Amino acid sequence: MTTAPIHIPTAAGSGSAATDAFRENRGQRGAATTDQQRIDTFARDVLGRIHEAIREHHLTYPEYTAVKKWLIEVGENGEWPLFLDVFVEHVVEDVVNSGRRGSKGTIEGPYYLPGQAELPATCTLPMRSDEKGDPLVLDGQVRAVDGTPLGGATVDIWLADDDGYYSGFAPDIPAGNLRGVVTADGEGRFAIRAIQPAPYEIPKDGSVGQLIAAAGWHAWRPAHIHVMVSAPGYRTLTTQLYFRGGEWLDSDVAQATKPELILDPRPGADGVLVSTYDFVLDPEQ
Ligand code: MBD
Ligand code: FE
């Protein structure tokens, strides 16, 4: 008798894939400062605030040891991208994008993969023939803050499937599933057919899930669609779109929802849900 292999997504599996993806694609982004003064000031401030919390809450030696053990395990499971993007990135995004006049940005998260299928303005994302989930069309226009349509802008899009899993980070999902790089038409317009994604739950079997459970928090992000919108001469917009009435909208574990980023899907002519969203880009400074 043979037993079919069971392919269950694990925290260590998605974590190590996220760590690999970060090293390959994002590790070199931007230039870290080599300004000794800035490093000194920031590192000293962060450490000082940790010291303060320890004093204020009278951390015990067993607790210090537990924290040390947990930090080691986060690395072993490859969960640093997940931990940082869920609990820290939203503040970096807020600081960096505060001056934008166009569409609101939000966090990129750990599951972006570059180099996906290049698709025309009206398209269907790569998906399985039996892909679960309600069909959904995202259409709209990319414009500059002054209203100029940005023909040929690209909408790099990625979303979780109906089980809340991302291709590239869970077993048994084909590479590139529900991912694509869409080139808008001459007027900046696009119409992308996909599915309604499910909410995302942080894996319970990993270190991040363990912390969340131990603290009595919930581990959910509301259903969302990720996009990275770019056009030459404009600041790339990394954001996410959510769904009106969606579960966890008001308690996103990653604190990455914004009222301006909520879609109001409506039934289209053929009964398929359509959501319209126009992306407005700021010029490069
Ligand atoms: C996600 O799908 C996500 O978008 C973020 C930011 C963190 C964890 C999972
Ligand atoms: Fe996501």
Side-chain angles (χ1 to χ4, degrees):
M1 193 185 86
T2 56
T3 312
I6 303 169
H7 291 279
I8 301 168
T10 61
S14 64
S16 67
T19 295
D20 290 347
F22 173 74
R23 284 211 179 101
E24 282 165 36
N25 310 318
R26 287 289 183 239
Q28 316 90 310
R29 180 155 72 179
T33 183
T34 52
D35 179 343
Q36 183 181 294
Q37 180 74 58
R38 185 165 164 81
I39 295 168
D40 169 51
T41 307
F42 188 75
R44 201 202 298 254
D45 190 17
V46 170
L47 289 169
R49 289 181 204 217
I50 292 172
H51 302 159
E52 228 174 80
I54 292 168
R55 288 188 196 284
E56 199 172 311
H57 303 289
H58 294 94
L59 200 78
T60 66
Y61 248 106
E63 286 167 342
Y64 171 68
T65 305
V67 169
K68 197 165 169 179
K69 185 164 167 274
W70 181 82
L71 288 168
I72 291 167
E73 284 167 7
V74 173
E76 285 172 349
N77 289 335
E79 287 198 277
W80 279 118
L82 179 66
F83 177 82
L84 289 166
D85 295 351
V86 166
F87 292 113
V88 180
E89 189 185 357
H90 68 97
V91 185
V92 181
E93 189 282 324
D94 187 41
V95 168
V96 169
N97 284 331
S98 64
R100 272 184 195 265
R101 292 180 298 136
S103 298
K104 292 285 181 193
T106 191
I107 64 178
E108 177 177 313
Y111 300 137
Y112 173 70
L113 290 172
Q116 302 302 309
E118 292 175 15
L119 303 167
T122 299
C123 64
T124 299
L125 292 187
M127 57 179 117
R128 293 161 282 193
S129 56
D130 59 347
E131 191 72 43
K132 289 189 292 165
D134 296 330
L136 177 83
V137 173
L138 177 70
D139 68 10
Q141 186 183 31
V142 185
R143 292 189 299 268
V145 281
D146 67 2
T148 312
L150 297 176
T154 59
V155 180
D156 197 336
I157 181 168
W158 69 105
L159 56 139
D161 68 8
D162 188 55
D163 295 320
Y165 295 122
Y166 286 88
S167 62
F169 300 91
D172 298 339
I173 303 179
N177 206 64
L178 296 172
R179 296 175 183 273
V181 184
V182 179
T183 301
D185 71 12
E187 244 89 67
R189 296 189 189 279
F190 57 88
I192 305 164
R193 192 179 163 112
I195 56 129
Q196 163 74 50
Y200 171 91
E201 188 180 25
I202 292 175
K204 290 188 163 71
D205 61 320
S207 318
V208 179
Q210 213 177 55
L211 168 67
I212 289 170
W217 305 335
H218 83 248
W220 290 94
R221 296 213 62 225
H224 57 277
I225 296 174
H226 293 266
V227 290
M228 209 178 286
V229 184
S230 44
Y234 292 85
R235 284 179 73 180
T236 295
L237 172 73
T238 299
T239 196
Q240 302 179 33
L241 301 173
Y242 304 90
F243 298 90
R244 179 85 55 207
E247 219 178 341
W248 316 112
L249 254 189
D250 298 322
S251 61
D252 180 7
V253 67
Q255 298 181 57
T257 62
K258 299 183 185 183
E260 298 88 346
L261 298 175
I262 298 173
L263 297 168
D264 282 298
R266 61 186 195 278
D270 54 359
V272 171
L273 286 178
V274 180
S275 292
T276 300
Y277 203 88
D278 294 339
F279 298 108
V280 180
L281 302 187
D282 285 68
E284 250 163 20
Q285 295 101 328

